[in-house]
Amino acid sequence: MQPQSWPEPDPQVAAAIRAMYRGRREAPLPVQVRDRLGELFPDAAFADAFGQVGKPGWSPGCLALGTVLQKAANLTDRQAADEVRENLAWKYALGLSLEDPGFDHSVLSEFRSRVVAHGLEERVLELLLERLQTLDLVQAGGSQRTDSTHIVAAVRDLNRLELVGESVRAALNALAAACPEWVDQVLVVEDWSHRYADRIDNWRLPASKTKQNELALAYAADGYTLLQAVYAPTSAGWLRELPVVQTLRCVLVQNYTRTTDRAGRLRIRQRERTEGGGDGLPPAPARVASPYDTDTRWSAKRDLFWNGYKLHVSETCHPQADGDRPIRPNLITNVTTTCSALPDSKALDTIHQALRRRHLPGTTSTPAIPAPT
């Protein structure tokens, strides 16, 4: 990448925008952003995520603005790419000519992946706040408020029975892909293929509690059999290091106990919720909820119950001036994503540190207001 200044809006596009929104008609958001904030996201701010040699690509600053506009309009990547190609307001904001064909929609996901891989997730918000500070729209001190809302994980919701069965299935599929010869030699592939060919939540579970318990113990037995084969001295050591194998091990430990009776027979028993200790389930913050996203957790807040994460949004809260118009607009100053089971008050220290890093310290509280969307 070779950082360059954004091109000025194309004269033809600018003339068309002025003609369409002459008079009292308010210009659309992309036009207002370009007119009021100018080159908001310079290319150099994203240089760490791009190489200095190779085929030139799209301006990361323009892609950042396109991503913001995409989110504001709630568009898919394909729809956002169409807006860049067809919408005059977007061409004006990005400094594109009428003939510019835009880019393929996959460029947006590639850009986001680079941003995440290089730890630049907050760069867009930081650049925006720096610009707003120069315009005296946001400043240190004053009151700020923080509230949280839910983020639903991009995985299917599984109950305890489905979780164990799907964890066995995920580990088996990963092993079959990584070392199919080992699977053929060690496991009874025909029986396991029949049981774990489809997702566990794709078929109807037994209705009776007795049958469900029997199936839960069958899944557990398969899981322990699989782990025993993986950890056998004759198996390659790298097989046990596969993430899905470690996830299966964790799921079994969290949901079952194994004991040996007086006759030397191994007994597998499901853990149950207990009060005051025992072999009950681990607390929610530690309990795995999906073999495909080991960080997602079940949580509840007010009337919400979800599997995913928690998003803490901080914003300024200025006093009202004449009527209902505030002295300054209320602006988002920080966004923090945490485990969904973390209490809101426990996230405040991290939020305060982020605000101090942005030179925006203030009095921050967690109010009892509806969660932002």
Side-chain angles (χ1 to χ4, degrees):
M1 186 192 71
Q2 299 176 350
Q4 298 180 359
S5 299
W6 289 12
E8 291 296 321
D10 182 87
Q12 286 183 291
V13 175
I17 291 292
R18 286 195 297 271
M20 287 188 293
Y21 299 100
R22 184 180 293 116
R24 296 184 177 180
R25 289 191 64 191
E26 185 177 60
L29 178 63
V31 175
Q32 295 189 49
V33 169
R34 185 60 193 263
D35 287 344
R36 298 185 184 187
L37 302 178
E39 185 180 355
L40 184 56
F41 308 127
D43 289 349
F46 300 91
D48 294 343
F50 294 85
Q52 298 180 351
V53 296
K55 183 179 178 180
W58 260 74
S59 160
C62 289
L63 291 176
L65 178 58
T67 300
V68 172
L69 297 176
Q70 173 189 2
K71 179 61 178 177
N74 194 27
L75 303 176
T76 65
D77 286 353
R78 290 182 183 274
Q79 291 171 332
D82 289 340
E83 291 295 296
V84 173
R85 190 163 36 251
E86 303 167 1
N87 192 318
L88 287 181
W90 285 52
K91 286 184 178 293
Y92 180 90
L94 300 176
L96 304 180
S97 65
L98 286 173
E99 295 80 15
D100 195 299
F103 50 77
D104 187 77
H105 69 276
S106 61
V107 172
L108 289 170
S109 62
E110 292 173 0
F111 170 70
R112 293 193 301 269
S113 297
R114 281 182 177 269
V115 167
V116 172
H118 290 81
L120 301 177
E121 301 95 329
E122 298 185 1
R123 185 60 52 87
V124 166
L125 178 59
E126 291 170 349
L127 292 171
L128 174 60
L129 290 173
E130 289 175 5
R131 180 61 55 86
L132 296 177
Q133 283 179 291
T134 63
L135 298 176
D136 198 31
L137 291 175
V138 63
Q139 58 188 4
S143 298
Q144 300 186 47
R145 59 190 175 192
T146 299
D147 199 10
S148 66
T149 187
H150 62 294
I151 303 176
V152 178
V155 294
R156 298 192 187 187
D157 293 341
L158 303 172
N159 58 35
R160 284 182 62 193
L161 176 58
E162 294 170 336
L163 171 63
V164 177
E166 191 62 28
S167 297
V168 175
R169 178 177 176 273
L172 184 60
N173 285 339
L175 290 168
C179 194
E181 299 83 3
W182 178 88
V183 173
D184 290 337
Q185 295 172 2
V186 175
L187 303 177
V188 183
V189 178
E190 182 178 354
D191 293 345
W192 287 59
S193 297
H194 174 73
R195 188 176 304 173
Y196 298 104
D198 299 323
R199 288 189 61 99
I200 302 302
D201 56 340
N202 277 352
W203 54 281
R204 189 184 300 276
L205 295 176
S208 70
K209 185 65 176 178
T210 301
K211 293 293 184 181
Q212 291 181 12
N213 291 337
E214 291 176 356
L215 185 57
L217 295 178
Y219 286 151
D222 288 346
Y224 285 119
T225 299
L226 184 58
L227 289 180
Q228 185 177 2
V230 169
Y231 279 84
T234 55
S235 298
W238 60 269
L239 291 176
R240 68 195 64 170
E241 298 177 3
L242 292 175
V244 288
V245 172
Q246 294 303 315
T247 299
L248 173 61
R249 181 171 175 269
C250 182
V251 168
L252 291 176
V253 169
Q254 291 184 349
N255 288 276
Y256 298 90
T257 60
R258 290 197 300 174
T259 57
T260 304
D261 61 17
R262 294 180 178 179
R265 292 172 296 189
L266 190 64
R267 299 291 187 181
I268 301 175
R269 187 164 60 89
Q270 282 186 283
R271 293 182 184 269
E272 300 296 340
R273 294 178 175 86
T274 59
E275 297 292 338
D279 63 350
L281 295 171
R287 198 156 61 237
V288 174
S290 169
Y292 305 110
D293 187 344
T294 55
D295 293 326
T296 184
R297 295 291 184 268
W298 284 101
S299 187
K301 181 178 180 181
R302 301 189 184 104
D303 58 344
L304 293 174
F305 184 64
W306 76 98
N307 180 25
Y309 302 87
K310 187 180 287 185
L311 181 71
H312 303 264
V313 180
S314 303
E315 67 171 359
T316 58
C317 43
H318 296 293
Q320 303 294 320
D322 297 333
D324 295 330
R325 189 177 184 84
I327 296 175
R328 289 186 177 90
N330 293 335
L331 300 169
I332 292 176
T333 56
N334 187 74
V335 176
T336 300
T337 304
T338 67
C339 172
S340 63
L342 184 73
D344 290 1
S345 60
K346 299 296 184 181
L348 288 180
D349 287 343
T350 302
I351 294 170
H352 289 160
Q353 293 175 12
L355 292 174
R356 285 194 291 268
R357 187 178 68 249
R358 297 192 177 107
H359 308 291
L360 293 172
T363 303
T364 308
S365 61
T366 304
I369 59 175
T373 58

